[in-house]
Amino acid sequence: MTPDRVPDENATPAAEEPTASPRRAVPFAMAALLLVAAVLIYVEAAGYRAGSGGEPGPAALPYLVGGLSAATAIALVIQTLRGVHLVDDDGAGGVLPIRVLVAMVVLIAAAFLFRELGFFVVFTVVSFTMGWLAGARRWWTNLIVAAVVSWLVMIVFGRLFSVPLPAGPIDVFLGG
């Protein structure tokens, strides 16, 4: 007689094991979105004028962002294929999906409203939202930091590097 085997409570029967992990679908979808963003950035930046006299010109930053987006997408695919999960199995300590969705909605809305509202307003809202999603403790300090950073970026890139930024009424008032 063989002793009765006690089933493991955490074991999954062979018939119930999933063939394709749904956990892989999200990283692959994000990698695809990053690659699409990189291609769109490169297409848009192709219309910018080239730098002169050894200066990088206004297309340098979009090319850098597009390259970093593509590199991030490739790294995400490699990590996923290697089986490295960025979120624990129980989801503790990971990024909440609602935060990711809010961030994506804000970034897409920013892309469409950039020309109408101007750089300062859009960049301040995006910076404030990302700070809030990252866990800023006080909303008013987050808003002040977002506004000051937006103003500094507008001055540095608009004035110092001569990058054409869409200007709204507030941008003109603030020196952009």
Side-chain angles (χ1 to χ4, degrees), residues 44-176:
E44 179 68 25
Y48 292 171
R49 64 177 170 79
S52 61
E55 294 180 9
L61 185 63
Y63 282 142
L64 177 66
V65 170
L68 289 173
S69 295
T72 303
I74 292 168
L76 186 58
V77 168
I78 291 170
Q79 291 281 346
T80 304
L81 290 176
R82 287 181 56 213
V84 176
H85 299 290
L86 301 177
V87 178
D88 295 337
D89 287 337
D90 61 355
V95 177
L96 296 174
I98 190 71
R99 291 184 182 198
V100 174
L101 291 174
V102 169
M104 291 178 66
V105 167
V106 167
L107 290 173
I108 290 169
F112 287 110
L113 297 173
F114 202 52
R115 293 179 193 233
E116 286 78 21
L117 298 178
F119 177 82
F120 180 78
V121 171
V122 171
F123 198 74
T124 301
V125 169
V126 169
S127 299
F128 175 80
T129 304
M130 296 308 156
W132 173 68
L133 291 174
R137 293 181 185 209
R138 289 178 245 143
W139 68 269
W140 55 272
T141 56
N142 184 23
L143 182 60
I144 291 170
V145 168
V148 169
V149 167
S150 298
W151 180 73
L152 288 173
V153 168
M154 183 178 65
I155 295 299
V156 168
F157 282 97
R159 296 278 178 139
L160 190 60
F161 295 141
S162 299
V163 175
L165 299 172
I170 294 175
D171 299 277
V172 175
F173 176 73
L174 294 173

